[in-house]
Amino acid sequence: MADISPASSHAIETVALTRRFGALDAISGLNLRVPTGSIFALIGPNGAGKTTTLKILVNLLRPTAGSAHVLGTDTRRIGPSLLQRIGYVSENQRLPDWMNADQLFAYCRPLYPTWDGALCQRLRGDLRLPSNVRLRDLSRGTRMKAVLLASVAYRPELVLLDEPFSGLDPLARDELADVLLLMASEHPLTCLVASHDIDEIERLATCVGYIDQGRLLFSEPVASLLKRHRLIEVGTPGGPLIQRPTQAGWLVQGTAEGVLRFIDAHHDAPDAMELIEAAYPGVSVRTSPLSLREIFVAMARETARAEAMAGVTR
């Protein structure tokens, strides 16, 4: 892979990034590229390495091996001037919870030369933040809204969000997502969202990567991911049993009442239907699109199955 330069078209690039805690590799050989201007979702189960990755990107942790660059700068050299261009929100970050929202914004304002007071006031109204309630006394969703506002009011170039939707009610999730979409529409913005909440990600993300056990299994635009995955149903209800496929990239979902269901992970290939029809000549074949949730659940099951066959335990 070529050396990273400040002129890169990627806001974030990691090369063979590794972080160990004792004998545990929290992330291992991670090669991640987040295109400038994208809303990139880093999806994976709990313990997959998402939080560790984000902490390295803002220099809260140092890599054990490999490298990471953010906005053209090695993360080990990130200082105050670059942090003024980055917003960071984590479900676990410590807050001055004796402050109310207005006090939090007043505290943050002098730290960021680009602080936009008009934007802060507009978003504060949109998010319905109370002015006289301490952060510790707010609901988790309202507290997250206050932290997000404090992290975007200075119009950063890059926003990193670690599990921002975890434990929030549907309205709070929608309001947080609306802020991100508004910011992206009004100002050049790159956003990396680490989450296992696939439903919200499907609404937001333009690109997506799947991380498991510290390794990036794939990364691509959401549109191409949805295009290349299709649910295939072979056979007719009550018909004879259909043989399970052995083709690489066909993820078996099960057989019920004579109908075999599998996911074709390469259905954008020109010969995709020819391969299916050749494997099941003279049999009824139906195809249908899949949601991101259905794709990720299938991939997670396939990963777990492969690990079980290899004798690997989580």
Side-chain angles (χ1 to χ4, degrees):
M1 186 176 294
D3 290 339
I4 299 166
S5 68
S8 171
S9 61
H10 296 89
I12 296 170
E13 296 195 54
T14 73
V15 178
L17 188 65
T18 299
R19 172 67 195 204
R20 299 188 184 95
F21 296 98
L24 173 67
D25 280 358
I27 53 175
S28 179
L30 185 70
N31 294 308
L32 175 67
R33 290 184 171 185
V34 176
T36 299
S38 67
I39 299 180
F40 190 105
L42 186 63
I43 298 291
N46 290 329
K50 302 186 299 294
T51 295
T52 299
T53 300
L54 264 63
K55 285 185 174 181
I56 290 175
L57 294 178
V58 291
N59 202 21
L60 291 176
L61 287 174
R62 292 294 183 101
T64 304
S67 65
H69 284 66
V70 171
L71 301 179
T73 299
D74 189 309
T75 56
R76 291 166 292 192
R77 296 198 297 270
I78 286 180
S81 61
L82 186 61
L83 290 175
Q84 290 174 344
R85 300 161 58 195
I86 301 172
Y88 176 70
V89 177
S90 170
E91 62 172 342
N92 297 316
Q93 70 192 105
R94 296 179 63 182
L95 301 174
D97 58 5
W98 53 270
M99 292 183 177
N100 61 39
D102 287 347
Q103 290 169 328
L104 175 65
F105 304 147
Y107 173 79
C108 293
R109 186 182 304 116
L111 303 175
Y112 300 98
T114 57
W115 185 275
D116 187 333
L119 174 66
C120 182
Q121 284 302 109
R122 176 159 58 102
L123 293 180
R124 188 183 175 286
D126 292 344
L127 295 173
R128 298 174 291 109
L129 288 173
S131 60
N132 57 352
V133 181
R134 293 177 300 183
L135 296 177
R136 69 163 65 102
D137 298 323
L138 297 174
S139 68
R140 186 180 185 283
T142 305
R143 197 160 52 245
M144 286 296 291
K145 287 190 284 187
V147 175
L148 178 63
L149 199 164
S151 299
V152 300
Y154 50 95
R155 295 193 181 274
E157 297 171 45
L158 172 66
V159 176
L160 306 177
L161 304 174
D162 185 15
E163 297 290 358
F165 307 111
S166 180
L168 302 188
D169 62 65
L171 178 59
R173 293 182 183 200
D174 279 351
E175 289 174 333
L176 288 179
D178 287 343
V179 167
L180 294 175
L181 292 172
L182 174 66
M183 294 295 296
S185 69
E186 292 186 349
H187 184 77
L189 176 69
T190 304
C191 184
L192 173 60
V193 185
S195 179
H196 62 267
D197 195 316
I198 300 170
D199 292 333
E200 285 300 332
I201 293 308
E202 187 160 13
R203 175 188 173 193
L204 281 172
T206 57
C207 298
V208 64
Y210 185 79
I211 186 173
D212 191 27
Q213 296 192 0
R215 296 183 178 276
L216 191 67
L217 301 187
F218 73 88
S219 174
E220 65 182 288
V222 169
S224 69
L225 180 70
L226 294 174
K227 180 180 178 181
R228 71 179 178 86
H229 285 83
R230 284 293 184 274
L231 175 65
I232 311 299
E233 295 177 291
V234 180
T236 54
L241 184 66
I242 303 295
Q243 182 179 356
R244 291 193 169 205
T246 58
Q247 184 80 20
W250 290 0
L251 312 180
V252 176
Q253 302 300 289
T255 303
E257 299 182 349
V259 177
L260 169 69
R261 303 172 77 248
F262 65 90
I263 292 174
D264 182 4
H266 304 291
H267 203 68
D268 56 341
D271 61 346
M273 283 304 299
E274 293 178 16
L275 289 173
I276 295 171
E277 291 168 353
Y280 300 102
V283 179
S284 171
V285 176
R286 293 172 298 281
T287 69
S288 54
L290 293 159
S291 67
L292 271 184
R293 169 175 288 279
E294 290 170 321
I295 293 170
F296 282 117
V297 167
M299 298 181 92
R301 286 176 176 167
E302 187 67 13
T303 299
R305 184 193 67 80
E307 291 172 355
M309 291 183 63
V312 177
T313 57
R314 287 186 179 272

